[in-house]
Amino acid sequence: MISLALDGPADAVPLALLADLKADLGLTDDSSNTRLTRLLLDASSMALAYIGQPILSCLWTEEIQIERADRLRQIVLSARPLLSIQSLKRNGADWTAEQISGLVIDRKAGLLSCPPEVRHHWHPGHYVLTYQAGYVPPSMAEDSTVQTGTLPPVISRAVILTASALWAAGDRDPNLKSESVQGVGSTSWATVSGTGGMPQSAADMLKQFRE
């Protein structure tokens, strides 16, 4: 199976609420809101890069080529969790709503299987799927009172921890442990490998969402 194209949200969005970050930092005034919002966006981008797969709610379009030798039992969608399938085409021909509703679907894992009583493997061909999938960040929730969204709270928590570290670091490297006194010593860093600049504790929270 070859994923040929995947379209999704292009604009950066914060994966946690500004109010929650300010509460963690003990800030009550709005004088730093602009910088805090930027740090939330930076931390959110780090989290998404670390996770390494699409997780934000959007209408996605994905193309999949199934060769005759593949004998594919399941199609694994690139974006998940799956919310709904808008359309499905094979070699340019639309599937009916009845055909789509007959699919065996694991929404959390983004897996599509043909009904076993109909066929155990997907027919070879070029498939184009349009589907709604992903989590809604709390900052994009329509209910402005609750603003909970559907994003797992642990992701928002990891973003807040990262944004807090960026805030504390100021213009310094967030992994910098100490700085040298002029003419005395050298700087040293907390070397955290493979976290993309996030604190290790934040990266640990996100490991379960990686591919």
Side-chain angles (χ1 to χ4, degrees):
M1 180 175 65
I2 304 173
S3 178
L4 302 177
L6 185 64
D7 301 320
D11 296 332
V13 295
L15 304 186
L17 294 176
L18 176 61
D20 291 339
L21 175 59
K22 291 175 68 174
D24 261 38
L25 294 174
L27 301 176
T28 56
D29 64 86
D30 297 335
S31 60
S32 300
N33 281 8
T34 299
R35 183 183 173 210
L36 290 172
T37 298
R38 175 175 56 80
L39 294 180
L40 272 179
L41 287 172
D42 290 344
S44 298
S45 296
M46 290 179 184
L48 291 174
Y50 181 75
I51 291 172
Q53 65 178 3
I55 64 168
L56 296 185
S57 179
C58 188
L59 192 63
W60 301 86
T61 299
E62 187 165 3
E63 299 184 27
I64 299 168
Q65 182 70 37
I66 300 178
E67 305 295 344
R68 187 172 299 277
D70 290 339
R71 294 187 61 78
L72 197 68
R73 296 181 63 91
Q74 295 176 319
I75 287 178
V76 183
L77 299 177
S78 298
R80 60 199 75 137
L82 175 64
L83 302 178
S84 63
I85 298 175
Q86 306 296 313
S87 66
L88 174 56
K89 295 182 180 181
R90 175 177 175 267
N91 297 334
D94 285 305
W95 277 36
T96 65
E98 184 178 1
Q99 286 176 303
I100 293 175
S101 64
L103 291 172
V104 178
I105 300 175
D106 182 333
R107 296 184 181 276
K108 183 177 181 180
L111 300 177
L112 305 181
S113 305
C114 292
E117 66 274 12
V118 176
R119 187 174 177 83
H120 291 288
H121 300 89
W122 284 86
H123 284 288
H126 179 254
Y127 291 83
V128 180
L129 296 98
T130 301
Y131 59 97
Q132 189 80 31
Y135 298 109
V136 177
S139 57
M140 295 179 64
E142 293 182 0
D143 188 332
S144 59
T145 302
V146 181
Q147 291 187 314
T148 55
T150 60
L151 193 76
V154 67
I155 296 180
S156 294
R157 185 62 193 155
V159 167
I160 289 175
L161 285 177
T162 301
S164 296
L166 294 173
W167 169 267
D171 295 328
R172 300 162 59 240
D173 186 316
N175 289 319
L176 185 64
K177 288 168 55 180
S178 62
E179 294 179 298
S180 61
V181 177
Q182 186 174 358
V184 176
S186 60
T187 56
S188 64
W189 280 264
T191 54
V192 182
S193 176
T195 65
M198 295 185 300
Q200 186 63 59
S201 57
D204 289 342
M205 292 179 180
L206 299 178
K207 284 182 179 178
Q208 61 182 301
F209 301 99
R210 301 188 79 180
E211 189 71 64

